[in-house]
Amino acid sequence: MDLPSFLWLWRIAAWSMGLSLLFYGLLAFSGIRMRSYRQRIRSYDAWLRPFHILSGIVLLALVLGLLAIGIVGTLGEYGTLGHSAHLPIGLLVVGLTLLSAWSATRIGLGEPGARSLHITINLTLLLGFLFVLATGWSVVQKYLPE
Ligand code: HEM
Ligand code: HEM
């Protein structure tokens, strides 16, 4: 293929990834704030929790959007999936994000250990984001015009 026909799609992927990292940062900020308030005075500003949950929903939507873009673009280009380590790492990131949201519902139910599980998953998710970004960036290179 001589035209970089999917370039616009990968451009959306790059922007979605930037937004994902932004929302990850907002979640880290609001989550850490909730945690330190809870440990010291046992209550925090009323907006923090809904803000954190809404940001979490946005992050989940962005990641699912990236999954859809990745699959549609790859199928459109090759007709098959599985062309690099980007696929397993991408699936891992989607799985971790779903696990994070699931563990958050356990915190809401007051389950012991749910908070530390939520935090562990999210630290792993950060690593996942860095890897998916690096591998996505390297495959994007072959779509760039010379
Ligand atoms: C995937 C979407 C996410 C959802 C739906 C979500 C939701 C929640 C909920 C409901 C709580 C409990 C708040 C409470 O009642 O005290 C919570 C706590 C927390 N979250 Fe998230 N969260 C998400 C992602 C993240 C991410 C990506 C991070 C870190 C970067 C994070 C860090 C934290 C921290 C540090 C706490 C406080 C734990 C504690 O109080 O010990 N969350 N989250
Ligand atoms: C949460 C983030 C992301 C997820 C879940 C994700 C998911 C996927 C998946 C599942 C595929 C199909 C891979 C295959 O079957 O080989 C794919 C392909 C692709 N993704 Fe992503 N992706 C993410 C982020 C990115 C980023 C940040 C970029 C770069 C800007 C990117 C660029 C690409 C490209 C260029 C392909 C085509 C693969 C190829 O030609 O071998 N992705 N993505």
Side-chain angles (χ1 to χ4, degrees), residues 24 27-28 31 35 38 44 49 52 56 100 104 107 115 118 122:
Y24 186 94
L27 282 159
R35 187 177 172 83
R38 193 172 51 76
Y44 40 73
R49 194 177 135 94
H52 187 81
S100 173
I107 300 180
R115 284 179 199 279
H118 187 63
N122 287 322

Side-chain angles (χ1 to χ4, degrees), residues 50-127:
F51 175 82
H52 187 81
I53 294 175
L54 265 178
S55 308
I57 293 170
V58 173
L59 183 71
L60 190 59
L62 285 167
V63 167
L64 291 175
L66 276 160
L67 176 68
I69 290 175
I71 289 177
V72 167
T74 304
L75 284 180
E77 175 78 11
Y78 300 103
T80 53
L81 292 178
H83 296 273
S84 70
H86 189 64
L87 175 66
I89 294 172
L91 292 177
L92 188 78
V93 164
V94 173
L96 283 171
T97 310
L98 288 169
L99 267 182
S100 173
W102 168 80
S103 65
T105 67
R106 313 307 292 177
I107 300 180
L109 296 175
E111 203 161 283
R115 284 179 199 279
S116 53
L117 179 63
H118 187 63
I119 293 171
T120 309
I121 292 171
N122 287 322
L123 289 178
T124 318
L125 181 59
L126 180 59
L127 281 180

